[in-house]
Structures are given as structure tokens and as C-alpha cells.
Amino acid sequence: LVGSEMCIRDRDFLKRVGTRSIPSQNWQTQEPEETRMNKTLKGMAMAGLAAVFWGSMGVAGQYLLQNCHFTPMDLISIRMLLAGSIFVGIEFFLLKKGALKVFETKQNIIDLIIYTLTIIGTQLTFFVCIQYANAPFAAVLTATVPLWIMIFMVVFQHKRLTVKEVFCGLVAVAGVVLVVTGGSFKNFNVSGIGFWAGIGSGITGAFYVLLPQKFIARVGSGLATSWALLLTGVTVTLFSHFWNEPLDWTVYSILAYAFIVLFGTIAAFWLFQAAAEIIPADIAGMMETFDPVAATLLSMIFLGVSVNSWECIGGALILGAVAFLAVPSKHPFLIHYSRKARASFSQTDKD
């Protein structure tokens, strides 16, 4: 649930995708309609702003990778050490000795290691994709995580697909083809490494969502994620000594990295979590479509990335398929207003 670990932020949303979305309890409380709508708009604004921060964080990451001699390992190590230390510090402040709950049993330690490895996988594939392609391409392919979850559930849990899920899968595949080819099958718009890293970010994201669920249920999402982020930073630093790297530290690179940590990680995390407490998880998840949109627009403005109409159509197909897959056929928001409409028509007929 942190930063441009696109899958982490989707914990509550993505684990429902591929089966059915579970509406938030807030929609079942009897609140005045005006109050409920104000809360909904506030939650949507917070989730949308978090998505914009994530998308712009990818752009800042692309700048550091392609212009300042950073490597994906450099970005992961420094960022995770800083963010993990802050979050673990918060957990100790709130829970005192309870923050050490993750180390109480052997099973917790094993699950924490697995959780850490999944974060390393999502981070590494995502930033490698940005390095060899660009931020918009990485953001769009990472958005396919729900579709990979659906595939894994079919293969390993023998889940029977619905017509809706098959349709969304085919639409998403068509979108990926358009994004990769740009509408022309004579050549690819990205390198092979960039393409497979993007596919890998979706697959590792699905592993991230599925594997640590029992661990998170035992110790809590905040505690589990905080320690996993810190261990991710420590583990990657053992293999990447960023202090010995010839990194190009300038005013712009420092500002870009500060933005990644403060806004793309910490602020985005808390905004999205606060939004998920106010609005249903599927609506919060759909607001994340602002992520690749923001990444695309900001990349075009600040980095000179060009995107043709076919790539835009492909990205829209992928995001549309994911959003449609997330919406249950009987969403309480839709039920509420359909009932209101039927009541209005009935009153008109009586008149």
C-alpha cells in the first residue's frame, strides 16, 4: 500500500477483483443523502490525488533513471530505507512493544520474508520497465494486476470465469497489443526488456496481493507493510551500495527524489488509505486510473515523451477493462439511484 508499488496501494481493492467486490459498510449506514454525497466526493478527491502523486512519482523516477545515472536498485534501496524507517517509527510510537509482533513466531518471520520478496519483485520490475521504456508504459502494464490475479485463481483455485471476466481479459489483451505496437505491427515501441519487465510487474503484483494475505490478517496491514518496506530497503542495500555509485546529485535530482519519498510514497499512501475508509474500495480503486493518465501527461510535458492515438486507445482499453471488472453488477451506489429513479417514475405515472 505504498507509493509506486502500484499493487501495494491496492491491497483492499485488488484482493476483491477476480471474485467480487465487497461494498464498504459506509454505504449501508443510514446517513442523510447530502452528507453521504459530500463524503463520497471527498473520498474520491483524496483517492484521485493519491493516484496523481503515484503517476507523477513514476515520472520523477524516469528522470532519475534516464538522466541522473540512477539504477532501479538505487531507487529502491534509498526510498525503501527512508519510507520503511518512517513507517516503522510510527508503528513503535503507536504500538510500543506491539510493533515487534511480526517477530513473535517462526511463521510470522517466514511470511514477512515472503512479503519482502514480493515487494522487491514489484519494485524491481516496475523501475526496470521505466528505465527501458517510460513511466506511462509501466503504469499501464502495472494496472493489469487484477487480470493476473484472475488468471491465477483460474489456474490454482479452479475458479470458473464469468462472461464479464473473459470479456475484460480479451479487451485488456487488445489494449496491451496497441500500447506495445502503437498500432503498427512492423515494430515495437519499447525494448524487449522494457516489455517483459512491464509484464513481470503485473505478475509480481499479483503475487504481492495473494501471498501475504494470511500474514496481514494476523498482524495487521500497517505493521506488516512497514516492516516489509524497511526489510526491502535493507536487503536491496546489501546488493546495491548507492553511496559508492556515481549518482548525479543536483538540485533537480534532489527535488525529484524528495518528491518520490514525501509525496509519491508517504502522502499518497495516507491519502488512499483515508479515502478507502470513506468510499467503497472499488470506487477508490477506479480513481487510480488517474495514475497512468497523470504519468502520461506529465511525461509529455516534462520529459518530452510522445504518445500516439493508438497507444492512448490501448491504455484506455486496459484501464476500462480493469475498472469494469472491479464494479459488481449490483453496486449499492447504482442500486440506490436506480431505486430513486424508479420511485420518481412511479410518482410521475400516478400524477
Side-chain angles (χ1 to χ4, degrees), residues 225-278:
T225 301
S226 298
W227 280 107
L229 291 177
L230 180 58
L231 289 182
T232 296
V234 172
T235 302
V236 175
T237 302
L238 293 177
F239 298 94
S240 175
H241 303 155
F242 58 84
W243 54 88
N244 290 329
E245 299 287 340
L247 305 180
D248 189 6
W249 287 108
T250 65
V251 173
Y252 292 113
S253 63
I254 293 173
L255 290 175
Y257 212 103
F259 180 87
I260 288 175
V261 175
L262 297 177
F263 293 94
T265 302
I266 299 173
F269 169 75
W270 289 114
L271 280 170
F272 191 81
Q273 289 305 295
E277 295 294 325
I278 300 175

Side-chain angles (χ1 to χ4, degrees), residues 46-56 268 272 287-292 294:
M46 294 170 69
L49 182 59
V52 171
F53 282 159
W54 280 315
S56 53
F272 191 81
M287 295 304 296
E288 293 174 23
T289 55
F290 283 108
D291 180 339

